[in-house]
Amino acid sequence: MKRLFSSHFWADKDVQQLIGKQLRIGVILSSIVVFIGGMIYLSRHGHESPDYGTFAGVRQGLDNLPGIIQGIMQGKGMNVIQLGVVLLIATPIIRIALSVFAFLLEKDYLYVFITLLVLGVITFSMVGGLERL
Amino acid sequence: MTILSFTLILLAGAFLAGLLGSLTGLGGGVVIIPLLTLVFHVDIRYAIGTALIASIATSSGSASAYVKEGITNIRLGMFLEIATTTGAVVGALIAVFIPTSIVAVIFGCVLIFSAIMGLRKKREAFSDEDVSKLARDLKLNGTYPAGGELVSYKVRHVPGGYFMMTFAGVMSGLLGIGSGALKVLAMDNIMRIPFKVSTTTSNFMIGVTAAASAVVYLQRGYVSPGLCMPVVLGVLLGAFGGSRLLVKANTKWLRIVFSVVITFLALQMIYNGVNGKL
């Protein structure tokens, strides 16, 4: 019984380490991508003047993943930055997905359910068509 | 002004915001929106999209350290994330129907509230008395390391805390901020959780909450790469620098000064909102 308890304790610790590492890698990786994209963007458009005074939405292709990837293929800096932004948004979402497995390993089915619920809300916000309202 | 100089000035501003935000514990995101709208005359919708992305960056960056130390209550965070993410989606939804001038006024009020929260005297109110069956069933009670030993605490008023978290989520989705002050209020004052746990758990939740509304805003075209690039990099560098400086700085005076600055910015946001300038 005591061993069982301690093995649970270590599993918990390992999960915390893993989540901590994943969050850090996500932030570092996305900042690098944002930085690279920023350099490309500045070298091509640095001399132009910024225009954010009136809201017109972003340029076409920057508001969805296929469009972002397509722009990267054409070497557009803005799209590379946006890929970094998408990676950044994905970082906490991947943390949730990791937690589902962590709670499964611990056989804590209540929290598997709770975590899946959170994942469900986020998935709904992604594919629920809320942006068209 | 060219894009190059605009980017560099914004980078410096975001660096300062991240530095002060992490030194004072108020978070860098709160000043990003006034910085963009009042100083750079950026449309508030772009500002909201940018601030959301910045808050994901700072929250995930600092959460990684706290989670490793075992201070964050992961189950509590997970459970309350149901409330904050549903709130955030609702907030992003109603944002379309609320005029930007009203958004600016609400933002100003939340900002003033954050400043007051940052200045108030903190008094620990947690106890080890086990009174909530719901907290027990949901396994929300926990321990945290302090001075080499584990301090245990019991969570109270779960429904009240959950409700307050939903509200914090709505504000986060509507205004594009982490609304850490509201989250900490729910956890400290209602659920009676130790400060160290509530601040780190709040931080842990901000990233997921912001991500829930960020996907909606990204698809709506609010997230502009030209603004996100300097702001995200600046805020991250500033927050990192702040965590290095934290031991040396006199944070009490800094908190007062920063709160005054925030209140001033908030009043300006409200003034501009009322006059329909935002």
Side-chain angles (χ1 to χ4, degrees):
Chain A
M1 192 64 200
K2 205 176 169 187
R3 226 181 99 192
L4 201 77
F5 179 78
S6 74
S7 81
H8 269 203
F9 176 77
W10 280 110
D12 226 31
K13 274 277 177 211
D14 289 344
V15 168
Q16 285 175 1
Q17 296 292 322
L18 183 69
I19 289 178
K21 204 170 282 176
Q22 178 260 324
L23 287 174
R24 181 168 307 169
I25 292 171
V27 172
I28 294 173
L29 187 71
S30 43
S31 335
I32 292 172
V33 175
V34 166
F35 181 77
I36 294 170
M39 289 299 113
I40 300 172
Y41 167 64
L42 286 179
S43 67
R44 291 170 134 213
H45 302 281
H47 56 278
E48 295 167 19
S49 38
D51 176 26
Y52 298 104
T54 44
F55 183 75
V58 290
R59 169 164 62 69
Q60 211 184 359
L62 284 172
D63 53 2
N64 62 83
L65 197 54
I68 293 170
I69 307 269
Q70 208 182 351
I72 293 174
M73 299 303 176
Q74 293 157 11
K76 290 181 179 165
M78 268 209 178
N79 293 58
V80 179
I81 299 175
Q82 204 74 331
L83 179 72
V85 168
V86 169
L87 287 174
L88 198 56
I89 298 175
T91 299
I93 301 176
I94 292 169
R95 189 266 285 172
I96 303 272
L98 272 179
S99 306
V100 176
F101 286 104
F103 288 126
L104 260 178
L105 281 177
E106 287 182 40
K107 295 198 171 59
D108 188 341
Y109 298 114
L110 173 66
Y111 271 85
V112 172
F113 175 72
I114 287 176
T115 312
L116 283 174
L117 215 55
V118 177
L119 208 54
V121 174
I122 293 179
T123 312
F124 172 72
S125 76
M126 261 190 255
V127 297
L130 301 175
E131 75 282 0
R132 286 193 294 273
L133 278 171
Chain B
M1 195 176 1
T2 63
I3 286 182
L4 183 64
S5 46
F6 176 78
T7 304
L8 289 177
I9 299 170
L10 199 52
L11 185 74
F15 176 81
L16 210 61
L19 187 71
L20 286 173
S22 107
L23 283 176
T24 55
L26 285 165
V30 288
V31 287
I32 292 298
I33 292 180
L35 179 76
L36 285 172
T37 53
L38 300 175
V39 183
F40 292 95
H41 303 290
V42 168
D43 186 281
I44 193 166
R45 279 159 287 198
Y46 286 130
I48 288 173
T50 311
L52 260 181
I53 304 303
S55 67
I56 297 178
T58 47
S59 138
S60 303
S62 54
S64 76
Y66 297 132
V67 169
K68 280 184 168 178
E69 285 168 33
I71 306 170
T72 312
N73 186 333
I74 292 183
R75 280 194 171 75
L76 179 70
M78 214 69 226
F79 170 67
L80 292 175
E81 274 165 10
I82 307 174
T84 60
T85 50
T86 26
V89 173
V90 170
L93 257 180
I94 57 176
V96 191
F97 303 103
I98 299 181
T100 51
S101 55
I102 295 178
V103 172
V105 173
I106 301 175
F107 182 84
C109 295
V110 173
L111 213 55
I112 291 176
F113 170 76
S114 304
I116 295 169
M117 282 287 289
L119 282 179
R120 101 208 135 112
K121 272 244 175 338
K122 291 190 168 182
R123 206 179 55 222
E124 282 287 15
F126 73 95
S127 79
D128 202 23
E129 203 186 330
D130 197 353
V131 286
S132 168
K133 184 181 181 297
L134 206 54
R136 217 158 39 230
D137 289 345
L138 288 166
K139 291 177 260 186
L140 301 179
N141 300 321
T143 55
Y144 73 101
E149 53 184 318
L150 285 179
V151 181
S152 80
Y153 57 90
K154 301 284 187 284
V155 177
R156 294 188 185 199
H157 306 120
V158 178
Y162 187 92
F163 179 77
M164 191 68 202
M165 279 298 170
T166 312
F167 179 68
V170 172
M171 285 300 131
S172 167
L174 179 66
L175 307 173
I177 52 172
S179 58
L182 282 168
K183 289 191 174 80
V184 170
L185 181 76
M187 284 194 271
D188 282 356
N189 292 19
I190 301 174
M191 304 180 88
R192 307 274 167 187
I193 294 160
F195 295 141
K196 233 177 148 180
V197 180
S198 68
T199 41
T200 54
T201 307
S202 149
N203 201 349
F204 178 71
M205 295 163 62
I206 285 173
V208 175
T209 311
S213 46
V215 288
V216 181
Y217 282 125
L218 182 93
Q219 297 177 52
R220 267 191 202 143
Y222 282 42
V223 180
S224 178
L227 294 171
C228 286
M229 182 250 300
V231 169
V232 165
L233 295 178
V235 163
L236 269 177
L237 285 173
F240 182 73
S243 65
R244 291 282 145 127
L245 275 173
L246 202 53
V247 266
K248 291 179 209 158
N250 181 357
T251 54
K252 191 190 159 214
W253 275 103
L254 213 57
R255 256 211 316 270
I256 294 173
V257 172
F258 196 49
S259 296
V260 171
V261 172
I262 286 178
T263 310
F264 174 75
L265 291 173
L267 292 174
Q268 190 123 29
M269 290 287 290
I270 293 172
Y271 177 81
N272 284 358
V274 169
N275 284 310
K277 279 194 220 155
L278 279 177

